[in-house]
Amino acid sequence: MSGDIIVMGGGIIGLSCALELRRRGLHVTLLEKGPCGGQASGAAAGMLAPYSENVESPDEFFRLCRESLSLYPQWQQAVKDISGVSFEYAETGSLYIARHEADLLALESRLEWQRSWGSGSEILTGSALFDAEPGLTREAVAALWTPVESHVYAPDLTEAVKRACLASGVQIHEHLGLIELAEWRERVALRAQSGERFEADRLLISTGAWVQEMSEPLGIRIPVHPIRGQICAYTWNEEREPLRHLVFTSQGYLVQKANGTLVCGASEDIAGFDTSVTDKGIRRLTEWNKQVLPVLSEVQPFHRWAGLRPAVLDGRPLIGRLDDAGHIFVAAGHYRNGILLSPVTAALIADSVEGKPLPEWCGAFRPNRFGEVQAGAFSDKIKD
């Protein structure tokens, strides 16, 4: 593949796509209005858990997540090799906890369909459950154990992908401020707040919760809005019983990191682009987590933070070419699954840029599926 492309957005999705496009031969320039990984990517807990986070049925979104999980072992190793940077990738498996007998039927239903999709899951009860995770409340009646799920340390992964991009020859421009689309029909041109101008044959838009800003210039409805996710972390040293698995409940998750922290998330609310942390949001976490891990009633979180998750109207990300004849591509709206979906999104975007047909089931993620905006918004150039 030859030519050049601009990637607009330096989160984990934009960086991963830039790396894959460069590996396939394009000249890649990545533009970021702030620091790379400064939004949702740096705030993520890094869970790679498509089975635990898709509890209802194996729809197209679950299939996308499962495909990305299968790519992760080889992909994360390639990132380490190219960047020379190590980061935590822990194949711990997961436990989805049921605290009431009434929840067992739901676990059994999930076990049935998820095993047919390669989860390797089992339902653990009694001594088998507490041998697997000794610190759990004795009120837990069962858990769905999924051995194939894992997690990464998201800030280090994001930095490693950035360094892999630089090592591969991607040109990265950070702290550009407002970036405007100046031309897009015949050739792509973007203008930064400083006045600097960038041109290329193609454009990939990967600006997370801010992607909706491109609706009017392109004339395409992009119904993405930010959801604030609040997370907290506890100091978890050798004196405490280690958490051996990702632990999920219907209210959130717990995951232990190799840096001596236990992460609990995530409280969600609609707050626009406000990333402040609230007592109410953190209290939602601390009220349930001690019911699952009783030792948490004795300690307080030492760190609290929030990130903006880009949520699409129908719950599915936007991945692929914006229109059949054009040279504008979109990779955005991954909500709380950006870390997990990085390798598969990068592969699908690179295939799309190369002109390869995507699998039929990927039609669920077409960026133009919501139609056009009102007539008159379409424009070849945006006036100065």
Side-chain angles (χ1 to χ4, degrees), residues 181-187 217 377-382:
L181 183 60
E183 298 179 23
W184 65 273
R185 281 203 184 275
E186 299 300 328
R187 184 170 170 81
F378 226 63
S379 173
D380 182 25
K381 293 188 180 182
I382 299 174

Side-chain angles (χ1 to χ4, degrees), residues 3 29 77 105 113 128 155 157 161 184 233 243 282 286 292 313 376 383:
T29 301
Q77 188 60 55
L105 182 60
W113 74 259
L157 168 67
V161 178
W184 65 273
L243 199 67
I282 299 301
T286 58
V292 176
L313 185 63
K383 295 180 180 179

Side-chain angles (χ1 to χ4, degrees), residues 147-206:
V148 298
E149 296 191 320
S150 49
H151 64 93
V152 295
Y153 188 64
D156 288 352
L157 168 67
T158 304
E159 179 63 23
V161 178
K162 176 185 173 182
R163 293 195 188 185
C165 284
L166 292 170
S168 301
V170 176
Q171 300 296 311
I172 296 180
H173 300 263
E174 299 178 88
H175 305 287
L176 293 175
L178 181 66
I179 303 170
E180 295 182 321
L181 183 60
E183 298 179 23
W184 65 273
R185 281 203 184 275
E186 299 300 328
R187 184 170 170 81
V188 173
L190 293 99
R191 183 174 52 245
Q193 192 169 348
S194 64
E196 193 171 1
R197 184 181 174 94
F198 302 90
E199 297 185 4
D201 299 321
R202 307 173 184 90
L203 172 66
L204 170 62
I205 302 167
S206 186

Side-chain angles (χ1 to χ4, degrees), residues 25-40:
L26 260 72
H27 297 285
V28 183
T29 301
L30 185 144
L31 309 181
E32 168 55 48
K33 66 179 182 179
C36 286
Q39 297 297 332

